[in-house]
């Protein structure tokens, strides 16, 4: 066991995640090599702001691309300039690019993500061979880099909240370096059931579980994923684990940020995009079925399109009277399987448009360029929200659309999304693999009387905002006595 380190930093609260709150781009056209900084949103960013500027908090994250790496090289000790981060203390780690790529693409996104979302086509994959073992060593090195940086930055007895599947090994590594710390781990993904989790080689399955059990508190988005984690511990580590370990299991269901969303959704750029979208939809009385996703394999966009086509076949009365507004934004394009999936989404949408479209009606309006203001415009216009993932940790879109929609929307929701636990009662629930069932759910949602739709939507919005990001983050800290 490594010998415990004395604290050299003074942070009282630390967050660790792969993707940080800022990213940098090198502007090729700029002769001075200026870096362009972009600040991200999301639950952690607004959560951290809840602890106030006086709290001594440090966010440790990885450099993801060349711009980030350059920014780290220019920054003293990897601490990014406060002007770039809005005053937040951010330490970005310049992990060797090949090690990073093996850990992020080769293990986290190609293996752990696939296991937890059950995405493998098992006759041919996964294959755990020598190449995988090489990548696994990178995943270990990447986790070690985080553990060492956290150990350096943390003050005596500090609270550290480690986020997600990229960093499953870091809690135990950190515990060894700094037994004084209070460590939490939070999983933003689903957790696989034991039979599926055990596709992983036994030693690696055990290392992942033990890595998380190095934390004092292991937390999940829903009870279902927490239970699956405990079941995996029983199956892989033995029936007494985790109850005989010191790790407590928690559930914190991240909700939507109503104040931010409602305000942002009424700014002029959103109004402008609503006008443009209305034009694309055409016909003042046309209904909309809206979906907004990263083009992510687990989001089930293709089956959503197939269900919409089935709706047009089974209920021809909806032809010309409905438009499927589908936003599928680029994600993880370094992985070939994501590029292929993106092409398939485009192909099926085109096919529907050429088979069913008429001079005045485009059945599917597909956009693939990320535009947050346009997403909010679609949220406001939604009559029906379609959220049909194969499997999803939570799915915040299911929570956001009911909060923002102008007239109140009906929600067609997969029972495999974490959000189902909180929203299932007022949604029209689907099995995401069942095209016919999803088509019928869409028909039911479209035909839902306006009064019922508005009532349900009000209850959906209330449930969706029960634990906004700031409160969610404070709960993680509270569970560690922070
Ligand atoms: C989604 C998941 C998170 C994950 C993130 C990573 O938001 O819910 O669990 O951390 O994707 O996405 P990235 O684009 O950084 O690979």
């Amino acid at each position: 066991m490594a010998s415990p380190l004395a604290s050299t930093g003074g942070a009282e609260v630390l967050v660790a995640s792969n993707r940080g709150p800022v990213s940098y781009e090198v502007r090729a056209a700029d002769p001075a090599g200026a870096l362009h900084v972009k600040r991200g949103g999301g639950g952690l960013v607004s959560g951290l702001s809840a602890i106030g500027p006086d709290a001594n908090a440090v966010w440790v994250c990885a450099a993801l691309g060349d711009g980030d790496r350059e920014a780290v090289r220019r920054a003293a000790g990897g601490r990014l300039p406060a002007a770039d981060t809005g005053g937040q203390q951010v330490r970005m780690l310049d992990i060797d690019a090949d090690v990073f790529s093996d850990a992020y693409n080769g293990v986290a996104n190609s293996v752990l993500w696939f296991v937890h979302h059950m995405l493998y086509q098992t006759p041919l994959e996964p294959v755990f061979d020598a190449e995988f073992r090489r990548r696994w060593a990178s995943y270990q090195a990447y986790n070690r880099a985080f553990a060492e940086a956290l150990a350096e930055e943390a003050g005596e007895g500090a609270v550290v909240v480690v986020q997600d599947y990229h960093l499953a090994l870091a809690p135990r590594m950190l515990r060894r370096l700094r037994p004084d710390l209070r460590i939490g781990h939070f999983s933003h993904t689903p957790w696989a059931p034991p039979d599926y989790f055990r596709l992983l080689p036994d030693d690696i399955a055990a290392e992942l579980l033990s890595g998380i059990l190095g934390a004092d508190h292991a937390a999940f988005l829903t009870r279902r994923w927490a239970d699956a984690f405990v079941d995996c511990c029983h199956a892989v580590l033995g029936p007494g684990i985790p109850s005989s370990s010191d790790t407590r299991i928690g559930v914190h269901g991240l909700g939507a940020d109503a104040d931010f969303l409602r305000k942002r959704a009424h700014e002029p750029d959103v109004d402008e995009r609503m006008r443009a979208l209305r034009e694309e939809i055409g016909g003042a009385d046309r209904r909309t079925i809206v979906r907004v996703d990263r083009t992510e394999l687990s989001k089930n966009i293709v089956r959503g399109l197939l269900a919409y086509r089935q709706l047009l076949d089974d209920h021809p009365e909806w032809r010309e009277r409905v438009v499927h507004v589908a936003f599928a934004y680029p994600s993880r394009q370094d992985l070939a399987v994501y590029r292929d999936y993106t092409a398939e989404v485009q192909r099926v949408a085109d096919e529907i448009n050429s088979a069913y479209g008429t001079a005045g009606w485009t059945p599917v309006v597909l956009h693939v360029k990320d535009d947050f203001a346009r997403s909010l415009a679609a949220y406001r216009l939604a009559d029906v929200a379609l959220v049909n993932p194969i499997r999803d940790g939570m799915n915040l879109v299911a929570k956001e659309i009911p909060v923002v929609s102008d007239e109140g929307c009906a929600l067609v929701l997969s029972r495999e999304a974490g959000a189902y636990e909180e929203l299932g009662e007022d949604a029209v629930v689907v099995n995401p693999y069942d095209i016919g069932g999803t088509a019928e759910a869409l028909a039911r949602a479209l035909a839902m009387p306006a009064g019922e739709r508005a009532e349900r939507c009000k209850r959906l919005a209330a449930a969706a905002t029960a634990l906004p990001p700031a409160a969610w983050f404070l709960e993680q800290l509270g569970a560690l006595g922070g």
Side-chain angles (χ1 to χ4, degrees), residues 162-215:
V162 178
Q163 307 293 311
D164 237 347
Y165 58 100
H166 315 91
L167 292 170
L169 307 182
R172 179 156 306 279
M173 292 171 168
L174 180 58
R175 159 85 53 233
R176 290 197 173 128
L177 294 171
R178 290 289 304 277
D180 60 298
L181 300 179
R182 291 170 288 166
I183 305 171
H185 185 273
F186 195 93
S187 292
H188 293 254
T189 60
W191 195 273
D195 285 353
Y196 206 90
F197 189 71
R198 298 185 78 191
L199 290 178
L200 290 166
D202 291 350
D203 59 320
I204 282 171
E207 195 177 335
L208 285 165
L209 296 168
S210 310
I212 290 178
L213 291 175

Side-chain angles (χ1 to χ4, degrees), residues 4 41 86 110 136 146 158 161 188 224 245 257 354 357 360 364 411 471 479:
S110 301
W136 183 254
F146 270 81
V161 285
H188 293 254
R224 183 179 176 193
S245 76
D257 192 343
S354 52
V364 181
L411 173 64

Side-chain angles (χ1 to χ4, degrees), residues 17-28:
S17 65
N18 175 62
R19 188 179 287 276
V22 292
S23 63
Y24 293 85
E25 247 177 59
V26 193
R27 287 264 157 97

Side-chain angles (χ1 to χ4, degrees), residues 224-240:
R224 183 179 176 193
W225 313 139
D227 289 348
F229 175 79
V230 171
D231 291 345
C232 286
C233 290
H234 292 166
V236 173
L237 301 176

Side-chain angles (χ1 to χ4, degrees), residues 22-47:
V22 292
S23 63
Y24 293 85
E25 247 177 59
V26 193
R27 287 264 157 97
D30 188 334
L35 290 174
H36 175 71
V37 63
K38 243 185 26 204
R39 254 190 261 168
L44 276 173
V45 173
S46 47

Side-chain angles (χ1 to χ4, degrees), residues 261 264-265 270 274 371-381 404:
L261 286 169
R264 182 68 188 86
V270 176
M274 279 177 81
D371 181 342
F372 184 54
R374 195 183 47 211
S375 300
L376 291 172
Y379 285 9
R380 285 186 58 188
L381 290 173
V404 172

Side-chain angles (χ1 to χ4, degrees), residues 199-404:
L199 290 178
L200 290 166
D202 291 350
D203 59 320
I204 282 171
E207 195 177 335
L208 285 165
L209 296 168
S210 310
I212 290 178
L213 291 175
D216 300 290
H217 188 248
F220 299 85
L221 285 165
T222 70
R223 173 58 46 199
R224 183 179 176 193
W225 313 139
D227 289 348
F229 175 79
V230 171
D231 291 345
C232 286
C233 290
H234 292 166
V236 173
L237 301 176
I241 312 269
S243 49
S244 65
S245 76
D246 292 327
T247 310
R248 285 165 295 111
I249 306 295
V251 174
H252 310 296
L254 175 62
D257 192 343
D259 297 341
F260 164 74
L261 286 169
R262 291 201 176 112
K263 188 161 167 287
R264 182 68 188 86
H266 288 86
E267 285 175 16
D269 59 341
V270 176
D271 290 331
E272 190 186 299
R273 283 168 180 75
M274 279 177 81
R275 281 192 289 278
L277 256 182
R278 279 207 182 96
E279 236 166 75
E280 282 185 276
I281 293 162
D285 298 331
R286 265 181 199 151
R287 298 290 175 85
T288 56
I289 298 172
V290 169
R291 76 173 306 139
V292 176
D293 297 285
R294 295 186 294 116
T295 310
E296 161 54 54
L297 308 178
S298 58
K299 300 294 182 187
N300 210 20
I301 304 169
V302 171
R303 284 195 195 83
L305 288 164
L306 297 178
Y308 177 65
R309 183 169 72 187
Q310 184 86 46
L311 167 84
L312 300 177
D313 282 341
D314 294 351
H315 296 271
E317 70 277 14
W318 280 111
R319 292 189 193 178
E320 310 246 7
R321 291 179 52 221
V322 66
V323 170
H324 184 16
V325 176
F327 295 168
Y329 298 145
S331 176
R332 302 185 189 162
Q333 293 293 300
D334 287 346
L335 299 181
V337 58
Y338 279 70
R339 296 196 295 273
D340 294 348
Y341 187 73
T342 304
E344 183 64 4
V345 168
Q346 184 79 60
R347 192 188 67 74
V348 177
D350 289 347
E351 201 177 271
I352 294 173
N353 283 339
S354 52
Y356 297 80
T358 61
W361 175 54
T362 306
V364 181
V365 168
L366 176 71
H367 284 291
V368 298
K369 191 169 173 295
D370 200 343
D371 181 342
F372 184 54
R374 195 183 47 211
S375 300
L376 291 172
Y379 285 9
R380 285 186 58 188
L381 290 173
D383 294 304
V384 174
L386 174 58
V387 179
N388 65 326
I390 291 169
R391 210 170 149 83
D392 211 331
M394 175 58 78
N395 198 300
L396 277 181
V397 172
K399 292 188 163 181
E400 290 169 353
I401 301 184
V403 171
V404 172

